[in-house]
């Protein structure tokens, strides 16, 4: 993905037709959408937080294989056995998700603050 981006900026795709360049640009956009969040990771994360464990079953499976702790919002249609810390709730309710994610964000900030205070 990064190589394709740099080639596009450098003009190496100018020899292709306009349609081919458009298809390459669409492929770069698609790859960015799927892998944009993980392109800067240098190591395996310690924790994975998953909203819809049924839809993201692949990520949960990969995390379990790599021994990554999984925190997941589990609906009645999902399997809670593969999740280390289960949050039972409807994963389609946007207001409830907003509330839970706000609480998780506050917990993360509190943890970061505590680490900074104890390390001094």
């Amino acid at each position: 993905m990064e190589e394709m981006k740099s080639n596009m900026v450098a003009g190496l795709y100018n020899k292709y037709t306009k349609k081919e360049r458009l298809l390459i640009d669409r492929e770069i956009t698609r790859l960015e959408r799927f892998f944009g969040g993980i392109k800067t990771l240098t190591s395996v994360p310690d924790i994975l937080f998953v909203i819809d464990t049924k839809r993201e079953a692949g990520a949960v499976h990969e995390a379990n294989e790599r021994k990554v702790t999984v925190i997941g919002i589990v609906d009645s249609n999902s399997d809670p056995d593969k999740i280390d810390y289960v949050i039972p709730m409807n994963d389609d309710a946007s207001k409830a998700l907003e509330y839970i994610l706000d609480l998780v964000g506050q917990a993360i900030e509190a943890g970061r603050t505590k680490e900074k205070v104890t390390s001094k």
Side-chain angles (χ1 to χ4, degrees):
M1 176 178 66
E2 291 299 318
E3 182 180 337
M4 290 175 76
K5 277 182 167 181
S6 63
N7 288 344
M8 183 65 85
V9 170
L12 296 178
Y13 294 132
N14 288 341
K15 62 184 177 186
Y16 293 101
T17 65
K18 185 176 179 180
K19 182 177 181 178
E20 289 172 330
R21 286 193 310 262
L22 178 66
L23 292 174
I24 291 169
D25 191 43
R26 285 182 185 167
E27 179 66 13
I28 292 171
T29 304
R30 185 184 76 80
L31 290 172
E32 182 69 37
R33 186 177 64 235
F34 286 121
F35 302 113
I38 62 171
K39 69 181 178 185
T40 59
L41 285 180
T42 57
S43 63
V44 178
D46 296 327
I47 295 175
L48 177 67
F49 187 85
V50 182
I51 301 293
D52 187 350
T53 57
K54 184 174 182 179
R55 182 175 179 201
E56 304 297 337
V60 171
H61 177 74
E62 184 74 21
N64 286 328
E65 281 189 1
R66 294 185 179 267
K67 306 289 190 256
V68 174
T69 303
V70 179
I71 301 171
I73 295 177
V74 179
D75 204 352
S76 60
N77 63 353
S78 303
D79 182 16
D81 293 337
K82 298 175 182 159
I83 311 300
D84 297 317
Y85 296 98
V86 176
I87 301 172
M89 69 174 265
N90 182 4
D91 56 23
D92 298 321
S94 61
K95 288 289 185 184
L97 283 174
E98 190 176 310
Y99 176 70
I100 292 294
L101 292 176
D102 186 48
L103 289 176
V104 169
Q106 290 174 12
I108 290 170
E109 280 301 314
R112 285 182 179 166
T113 304
K114 186 174 182 178
E115 284 181 8
K116 290 179 182 177
V117 170
T118 58
S119 64
K120 287 184 179 179

